[in-house]
Amino acid sequence: MLGEYPIVGRRAAEIAASVERAVGAGELPPGQLLPPLRELAQRLGVNANTVAAAYRVLRERGVIETAGRRGSRVRSRPSSTPREWIGVDASGARDLSSGNPDPALLPPLGAPLAAAAARAAERPTLYGAPDVVPEVAELARAALDADGVPAGPVAVTSGALDAIERVLAAHLRPGDAVAVEDPGWGSLLDLIPALGLRAVPVGVDDDGPLPERVEQALAQGARALVVTDRAQNPTGAVVSATRARELRTVLAAHPSVLLIEDDHGHGIVDLPLRPLAGGTDHWALVRSTAKAYGPDLRLAVLTGDPVTLDRVRGRQRLGPGWVSHLLQEAVGGLWRAGAVDAAAASYDTRRAALVRALRERGIAAHGRSGMNVWVPVPDETGAVARLLASGWAVAPGARFRVASPPGVRLTVSPLAADEIETVAAAVAAAAGATVSGRLD
């Protein structure tokens, strides 16, 4: 079954390390079926429980996946290979693939950081200080209240992915299933198997996750659901009022499911937030500063039910302890100043213009909010290559997909108004054929 490559070892740790080394070296390719437990145990002269323990370790590390009677095999994308590596060389082309915000819309950080440093000189942060700056907690909670987010304590983490990882780890165990949007955020699709969890794809449209697909995933045993409320990456979907009611109805029938809402679009989206929280026992909503204030701030605000927040903050205290109070106070100053009030309108203008220009050329395009536009294409690789040849680098849809049809993502933040028509014409030529506008 494995050709010339022998799995070796007498202990579970040795067997797992042997398989992991072979995967890293390319000797066990993606999709390679591994021997059944008893067969490998007999070959190695060990107990079947030892092999089972080794396979369990490999699943938890995101190296292999198990599909019941179909056996265990090397994952198609091991956790050591992030989706960001699926890309194109943008040298000599305009880069619309990165997903970065427009630097011209990011607020200057000098003054708020200097003010935070001045306060730190008077009142240094020492061990034993609260993990969240009280003023930041008050400002964050006031904004959440204004958007109808249920009451809950506030934590600060090092970005949205850090928050989501901590919430998942607080409730789930390796092997548990997590319902995720498809297409969806590539980093989240990497994180889930890296934690030893299983991603269950849920289709989306312009109004967010499809209720019937969510119901199906939860009925099949998914223990958590992750939803992007606005500026969904890569499709730009935003949960509408009607869709929010439908999803709350689904969640109410599954109160034990962990709900995680990602509102990374806060600050760059004018459309209202329609929170889903409140119908399940455990929930969390996270707001990142990355898109509105700059990725280097590495800060996100997290709220949720008391049990979830207590677990997250308790585990955080045993690791990094807290996110720098200098960064927290700088973000608080930016919030008070309304430093990104113009960003949402600017992204909306560019994104809407590109979607309109594409649809005028018969190309199905999606982008209701945020800074990205998703274009379904019949041949993803060919479309990316043709666009690159015409001077435009776009993100391959494979970064964001589990089972959904192919597409490409364009980030509008580098585009000027007079470039929209040129880009649309290039995409129309590269797409080759008009495809269905469905995302699932």
Side-chain angles (χ1 to χ4, degrees), residues 19-35:
V19 173
E20 197 165 3
R21 282 195 300 271
V23 171
E27 295 170 328
L28 287 178
Q32 172 67 61
L33 188 66
L34 298 182

Side-chain angles (χ1 to χ4, degrees), residues 20 22 32 81 97 195 228 244 270 285 297 354 383 427 438:
E20 197 165 3
Q32 172 67 61
T81 307
S97 69
L195 294 174
T228 310
D270 282 334
L285 185 144
L297 281 178
L354 180 57
V427 172
R438 288 183 60 86

Side-chain angles (χ1 to χ4, degrees), residues 208-232:
L210 299 169
E212 63 273 18
R213 301 292 179 85
V214 173
E215 171 59 42
Q216 183 180 27
L218 301 187
Q220 292 176 350
R223 294 199 56 211
L225 168 68
V226 184
V227 175
T228 310
D229 292 312
R230 302 179 285 190
Q232 199 263 7

Side-chain angles (χ1 to χ4, degrees), residues 415-422:
L415 287 175
D418 59 3
E419 294 177 307
I420 297 293
E421 294 295 328
T422 304

